[in-house]
Amino acid sequence: MCSTSSGFTASPFLRSFKRDFSCMIQWWQKARRAMECFQSVSRVKGSLCQQLLLFIFWLSSFQDVATLHDPSHISSTSELANPPSTALFEPIEIPPAFIPRYPYPEKSSPPMYPSFPSTYEPNLTGRCPVNFSAMSNIIGKTASDCSLPLAALVGNVICCPQLGSLLHIFQGYYNVDYDKLVLRNAVANDCFSDIISILASRGANSTIPTVCSVKSSNLTGGVCPVKDVNTFEKTVNTSKLLEACSTVDPLKECCRPVCQPAIMEAALQISGTQMMLNDNKNVVGETNHIDAISDCKGVVYSYLSRKLSPDVANTAFRILSACKVNKVCPLEFSQPSEVIKGCRNVAAPSPSCCSSLNTYIAGIQKQMLITNKQAIVCATMFGSILRKAGVLTNVYELCDVDLKDFSIQGAYGQGCLLRSLPADMVFDNSTGLSFTCDLTDNIGAPWPSSSSMSSLSLCAPEMSLPALPTSETLKNPGCHGCTLEMMVCPRFGF
């Protein structure tokens, strides 16, 4: 029993009140110390680091205050999570205990709620003679990257590149003991069905063939005339091909490619198109030759998969995919009539212009996650659309539009751009599925100098990217370059 200074015995309720009130005071002291640290840093709009830390301290205090209204509640160490151990300017990881329980389970939950994919035993055809367990790592990575609730949202950047890599690796692995580089149609149908079933049993979205526009014929070589190893090695300089693609530099390949031209050269050679070009003959049936080149590139990937380890091949194929997807904006832009109407003749900040622009961009943000480079392409493309319609003023600057505004927004208003390098979903037993946002592009969207996209280049020294914020313009040097671990939800309420 605990006695008060006046000498009478405290009731259990008062003891609980005193204990919880003391705990609350301790948390508020921590919050006050954090605020003192922030006094040296000027406030800036959209400062995610400040918002996240303030939210963490607020939520921790709120949990203690809630106990004052429930005398029957007994606090435990398992319920009171410790603050993140990482430093302020290190990548911020949000423990699941800091994420409030969603109070409306019957409704779609917002982003940043953990997702735990369910697994089960797949129902296989039994007609695909492959030991899938030998490819378990690549299959597991693909299932994670194409998880059920997120496949469409990360399809262009994460899921589909990894699924394509898996199919290339499977195609080479299937025929490693044979002379063939492709699968027969009937076997391809069965194996493709088994691959999708296994992925779905590990938590992947069963609709990913539609999301990623892949089918069983991708494993057959299509109309490519060369489908066996002997003919391939007689036609292609395989030493040159393997030297170019055994180690793919993620920083150089996209702008100074080595592997990509080697693959294209091999595809042209086995398709027969290279011979016709060398002989200066007219290419008859251009569409058929384009299809042949595309199918022959699949055969080249299959050959590389035979010669490289699965992990090396997967890394190389993902980098090649990143080079491709970062060149194109995957977003769909509907006719921005209201934006054009509100912004055509403005020369200074206009409430009607910015309101219509923000409303339009809010619709774009519901589409998908994109990368840094894709955001630059998308911002330039949309700006070009506006310029063609007569909006000549830089409305991005007038209305404070950032690159991150073109991608899906996380909970509490954080923008999220993925790095341009290959990224994967990460699964953890305690936090579920998560992905890492790159916050270094929290800078103004680039306004195009003309209505043409032809001058845009993302490669040095030609590229002209928006300047990174300085301490004078950002007024927050501490958060420059920090990243954020975002946990994701099983259902997005957009």
Side-chain angles (χ1 to χ4, degrees):
M1 301 294 286
C2 179
S3 298
T4 64
S5 58
S6 60
F8 66 88
T9 301
S11 68
F13 174 79
L14 288 178
R15 290 200 307 272
S16 176
F17 180 90
K18 181 178 180 180
R19 180 181 63 249
D20 293 331
F21 184 76
S22 175
C23 184
M24 181 187 71
I25 294 299
Q26 292 176 12
W27 278 110
W28 276 112
Q29 288 174 342
K30 293 180 181 180
R32 186 185 64 182
R33 288 196 295 270
M35 290 300 296
E36 290 173 352
C37 292
F38 283 132
Q39 288 178 355
S40 60
V41 183
S42 300
R43 292 184 178 178
V44 60
K45 179 181 178 181
S47 175
L48 298 182
C49 294
Q50 293 183 22
Q51 292 177 3
L52 281 171
L53 285 178
L54 289 176
F55 170 73
I56 289 171
F57 283 116
W58 172 84
L59 180 60
S60 301
S61 301
F62 176 80
Q63 291 175 337
D64 293 312
V65 172
T67 63
L68 301 181
H69 299 280
D70 183 8
S72 63
H73 177 84
I74 300 176
S75 300
S76 65
T77 55
S78 62
E79 292 174 301
L80 299 176
N82 293 323
S85 59
T86 52
L88 176 59
F89 308 133
E90 296 289 326
I92 300 175
E93 297 181 359
I94 306 177
F98 280 119
I99 301 177
R101 294 179 176 83
Y102 191 55
Y104 308 106
E106 71 279 3
K107 297 182 180 180
S108 297
S109 55
M112 293 185 71
Y113 281 76
S115 172
F116 298 92
S118 58
T119 59
Y120 57 88
E121 287 297 320
N123 184 19
L124 305 182
T125 63
R127 296 185 294 272
C128 181
V130 170
N131 179 14
F132 287 101
S133 61
M135 303 177 62
S136 181
N137 289 340
I138 302 298
I139 291 175
K141 180 185 287 290
T142 308
S144 176
D145 286 348
C146 298
S147 63
L148 178 62
L150 297 167
L153 301 179
V154 300
N156 178 266
V157 181
I158 296 179
C159 171
C160 297
Q162 179 57 44
L163 178 61
S165 179
L166 170 64
L167 295 179
H168 290 318
I169 293 171
F170 176 85
Q171 187 176 348
Y173 175 80
Y174 178 86
N175 293 293
V176 70
D177 295 326
Y178 305 96
D179 185 49
K180 298 296 182 181
L181 290 170
V182 300
L183 280 68
R184 292 179 291 107
N185 289 337
V187 177
N189 289 335
D190 292 331
C191 290
F192 185 80
S193 175
D194 284 351
I195 290 172
I196 301 303
S197 295
I198 293 173
L199 291 174
S201 73
R202 295 194 180 189
N205 195 319
S206 60
T207 67
I208 51 177
T210 302
V211 172
C212 300
S213 299
V214 295
K215 47 193 175 181
S216 60
S217 60
N218 292 115
L219 300 172
T220 65
V223 296
C224 183
V226 175
K227 300 181 179 182
D228 63 278
V229 175
N230 288 334
T231 307
F232 185 94
E233 292 182 337
K234 290 178 181 178
T235 309
V236 175
N237 184 343
T238 55
S239 297
K240 178 181 177 181
L241 174 64
L242 291 173
E243 181 181 0
C245 296
S246 294
T247 303
V248 180
D249 190 321
L251 300 179
K252 297 180 181 179
E253 181 65 29
C254 296
C255 290
R256 294 183 290 278
V258 176
C259 180
Q260 294 173 81
I263 290 176
M264 178 56 75
E265 180 181 358
L268 288 171
Q269 289 171 341
I270 63 176
S271 68
T273 303
Q274 186 66 60
M275 183 182 299
M276 298 180 68
L277 293 176
N278 291 340
D279 293 343
N280 294 320
K281 296 179 180 179
N282 294 327
V283 178
V284 181
E286 183 177 350
T287 302
N288 291 335
H289 282 281
I290 293 175
D291 291 340
I293 293 173
S294 177
D295 291 336
C296 285
K297 286 180 70 175
V299 174
V300 177
Y301 277 109
S302 178
Y303 182 83
L304 289 172
S305 297
R306 289 171 61 103
K307 299 298 182 179
L308 305 177
S309 70
D311 289 338
V312 171
N314 188 65
T315 298
F317 297 160
R318 288 295 305 277
I319 293 172
L320 298 181
S321 294
C323 295
K324 180 179 179 181
V325 301
N326 282 316
K327 293 179 180 179
V328 180
C329 173
L331 302 178
E332 295 182 4
F333 295 105
S334 59
Q335 180 62 27
S337 304
E338 294 299 319
V339 180
I340 295 170
K341 179 181 177 181
C343 302
R344 179 173 286 161
N345 298 314
V346 300
S350 165
S352 60
C353 169
C354 293
S355 176
S356 60
L357 180 60
N358 290 334
T359 299
Y360 185 91
I361 291 180
I364 294 176
Q365 292 171 351
K366 298 179 181 180
Q367 293 189 30
M368 66 185 73
L369 280 166
I370 61 176
T371 68
N372 298 336
K373 290 186 177 180
Q374 285 178 324
I376 294 173
V377 176
C378 290
T380 304
M381 177 181 293
F382 182 55
S384 299
I385 294 174
L386 295 180
R387 286 191 66 100
K388 286 180 180 179
V391 181
L392 303 181
T393 303
N394 184 352
V395 292
Y396 291 163
E397 183 177 3
L398 290 181
C399 301
D400 195 22
V401 176
D402 294 335
L403 276 178
K404 61 182 177 58
D405 293 332
F406 286 85
S407 187
I408 281 179
Q409 307 294 293
Y412 317 111
Q414 308 96 304
C416 177
L417 291 175
L418 299 176
R419 298 182 66 192
S420 57
L421 298 176
D424 293 298
M425 301 295 295
V426 178
F427 178 74
D428 184 85
N429 288 330
S430 61
T431 61
L433 288 166
S434 65
F435 52 88
T436 301
C437 298
D438 186 353
L439 303 182
T440 58
D441 283 314
N442 187 20
I443 54 179
W447 182 254
S449 57
S450 69
S451 59
S452 174
M453 288 286 293
S454 60
S455 60
L456 177 65
S457 175
L458 297 176
C459 291
E462 300 87 3
M463 69 179 182
S464 178
L465 304 182
L468 290 173
T470 64
S471 58
E472 291 299 318
T473 58
L474 185 63
K475 302 299 184 184
N476 186 11
C479 284
H480 177 63
C482 57
T483 60
L484 168 66
E485 285 283 338
M486 293 183 67
M487 280 166 284
V488 293
C489 64
R491 295 171 297 168
F492 278 71
F494 294 126

